Amino acid sequence: MSTALVFVETLDGKIADITYELLDLARRVIGDGGTVTALAVMPAGLTSELGAADRVLWADNPDNRYLPESLGKTLAQAVDQVSPDLVLVGNTAVGMDVATYAASRAGCSTIASVQKVEPAGQGWQVESVILGGKMVATAEVTELTILQVLAGAGDAERGHVQGNPTVETITAAEAAATVYEGLAMPDSTDVDITKQDILVSIGRGIGDKDNIEVVEELAEALGAVVSASRPVIDAGWLPKSRQVGKSGKKVKPKVYLALGISGAPEHLEGMRDADCIIAVNTDPKAPIFDVAHYGIVEDILELVPALTEKVKGA
Ligand SMILES: Cc1cc2nc3c(=O)[nH]c(=O)nc-3n(C[C@H](O)[C@H](O)[C@H](O)COP(=O)(O)OP(=O)(O)OC[C@H]3O[C@@H](n4cnc5c(N)ncnc54)[C@H](O)[C@@H]3O)c2cc1C
C-alpha cells in the first residue's frame, strides 16, 4: 500500500488551487487503497478543505508568514515521519523554494516541471518538460524523489473536497537565517488584465523599452491592453500588474496576441485557456506555436506597425 505526501501551498491565508490539483493527482496515482497525507503550515480552520486527504499534518501559521526555510525543513521532517513513496509539491515559486530546500535536508532528489506521474514497476514514471518546454524528459523513479508538479497535471475541482481528515498537530521548524517582512501585492490601481477581452502581450522579443510604444498603438487601435511575459516586467519596462504567468496573473481573454514570447511553461500556465491565441515569433519552433490557434513567423517590429495601419483603416 503506497503513501503520498502532498505539500499544501497557501497564499495570504488561502489554500492555493495547485494543492487541490496535487491531492487529486496523488489519489489517482496511488489508488484508493493508498494513504494521502497533506502537510499544511497554515492558519487554523482550513483543514476541512483538505477532505481529499486521509490525514493532515498541521502546524499553525496564524500570521500567514512565508518562510521557505522553515517550510523546507518542516517538509523534510514530514518525509522522515511519513516515509512516503511519493512526495508532491507544486511547481510554483513557493514550491520550488520549498522542494529544493527539503530535498537537500532529506538527502533525496527533486524533479522540476513535472507534467505527468504514473505508477511503473516498483516506482513511478515521471514526465517533465525541459529546455523551456521544447523537450519532454521521461524518468523511471524508484527512490524517494520530491516531484515539483506543474499546474494542469491534476484536477483542482476533483481534489477540492470538504471533509474531516485525521488532523495531527505538529510544530513547524524554526527559520534560523530568514525573516518574513510582509506580503507585497501588485499595484491594484493599474488596469486589471484578467478582465480584458483582448490582450496584446509582449515578450523579450520586443528587444527594447522604446519599442513598446508601437505595441501600445496597436493595442489602442484594437481596444486592447498591453500585458507581458516576466522578462519584460523584470526589466522594469511594464508594472508587475501586467505580468501573465505562473508568478503573474492567469488570464482568459477572447484574444491573446503573443508577440515575441517563446511559450515557456511558466508563461503558458497563465494564458493557455484564452479563447483565441495568435502568436508572432521569428522562431518557427518556438513552443508558443504548440498552443496558438494562429501562428505567424515574422519579426514583430515589422509586423506590428503594418497591422496597426490595417486595424486603423478597417
Ligand atoms: C518560478 C518561476 C516563475 C516564473 N513565472 C513566470 C511568469 O509568471 N510569466 C512568464 O512569462 N515567465 C515566468 N517565468 C520565466 C519563464 O521561465 C521564461 O523565462 C519566460 O516566460 C520567457 O519569456 P519570453 O518568452 O518573453 O522570453 P524568451 O524565452 O527569451 O523568448 C523570446 C522570444 O522572442 C522571439 N523573438 C526575438 N526577437 C523577435 C522579433 N523581433 N520578432 C518576433 N519574435 C522575436 C524569440 O524567438 C523567442 O522565442 C518564471 C520562471 C520561474 C522559474
Side-chain angles (χ1 to χ4, degrees):
M1 198 172 81
S2 301
T3 301
L5 177 62
V6 169
F7 174 78
V8 175
E9 182 171 325
T10 61
L11 178 67
D12 207 15
K14 290 197 188 77
I15 296 173
D17 271 356
I18 186 73
T19 300
Y20 301 124
E21 287 200 26
L22 297 182
L23 288 170
D24 171 59
L25 179 66
R27 177 59 68 205
R28 265 195 294 127
V29 172
I30 66 162
D32 285 338
T35 307
V36 176
T37 299
L39 169 67
V41 180
M42 63 184 188
L46 295 174
T47 50
S48 60
E49 303 293 322
L50 301 174
D54 301 297
R55 176 186 179 211
V56 179
L57 302 180
W58 173 72
D60 200 4
N61 185 12
D63 310 321
N64 301 314
R65 291 181 312 151
Y66 175 58
L67 282 166
E69 184 194 351
S70 160
L71 293 172
K73 287 181 188 169
T74 310
L75 178 57
Q77 284 170 13
V79 167
D80 256 3
Q81 182 181 341
V82 174
S83 297
D85 303 284
L86 187 67
V87 184
L88 302 180
V89 173
N91 192 90
T92 58
V94 170
M96 289 166 106
D97 271 353
V98 174
T100 44
Y101 211 109
S104 69
R105 300 283 296 197
C108 67
S109 309
T110 177
I111 301 179
S113 303
V114 171
Q115 63 176 10
K116 201 167 170 194
V117 186
E118 277 175 357
Q122 295 305 304
W124 318 98
Q125 179 163 297
V126 176
E127 246 183 51
S128 58
V129 289
I130 56 172
L131 298 174
K134 285 191 178 160
M135 289 180 81
V136 174
T138 305
E140 299 285 335
V141 174
T142 49
E143 290 177 356
L144 179 68
T145 303
I146 298 179
L147 304 182
Q148 301 170 43
V149 181
L150 289 164
D155 183 329
E157 259 178 51
R158 267 202 316 247
H160 191 177
V161 179
Q162 300 283 331
N164 291 304
T166 309
V167 179
E168 184 182 328
T169 305
I170 58 165
T171 306
E174 286 296 316
T178 45
V179 176
Y180 177 72
E181 293 205 339
L183 176 69
M185 294 300 263
D187 179 8
S188 58
T189 57
D190 192 22
V191 289
D192 185 350
I193 58 170
T194 65
K195 303 241 159 72
Q196 306 303 317
D197 281 346
I198 311 177
L199 285 175
V200 178
S201 210
I202 50 172
R204 209 190 315 252
I206 192 69
D208 193 280
K209 186 179 183 191
D210 291 344
N211 296 333
I212 296 180
E213 205 178 316
V214 287
V215 176
E216 272 166 351
E217 265 183 57
L218 173 63
E220 198 183 325
L222 287 168
V225 161
V226 178
S227 55
S229 67
R230 181 159 153 180
V232 174
I233 308 300
D234 286 351
W237 296 349
L238 285 175
K240 173 81 179 156
S241 48
R242 303 289 181 105
Q243 184 180 324
V244 173
K246 177 197 285 295
S247 48
K249 290 187 177 159
K250 192 163 184 171
V251 297
K252 197 180 176 302
K254 288 188 177 138
V255 179
Y256 188 84
L257 190 50
L259 304 175
I261 295 176
S262 61
E266 294 85 2
H267 187 80
L268 300 186
E269 196 177 317
M271 46 63 74
R272 67 182 327 146
D273 293 336
D275 292 344
C276 177
I277 299 168
I278 305 167
V280 186
N281 200 302
T282 43
D283 177 3
K285 294 201 170 126
I288 191 76
F289 289 129
D290 296 340
V291 298
H293 302 93
Y294 300 94
I296 304 162
V297 178
E298 184 58 271
D299 185 330
I300 51 174
L301 300 176
E302 302 277 330
L303 183 90
V304 169
L307 193 55
T308 308
E309 285 315 306
K310 281 265 180 213
V311 174
K312 280 183 176 167

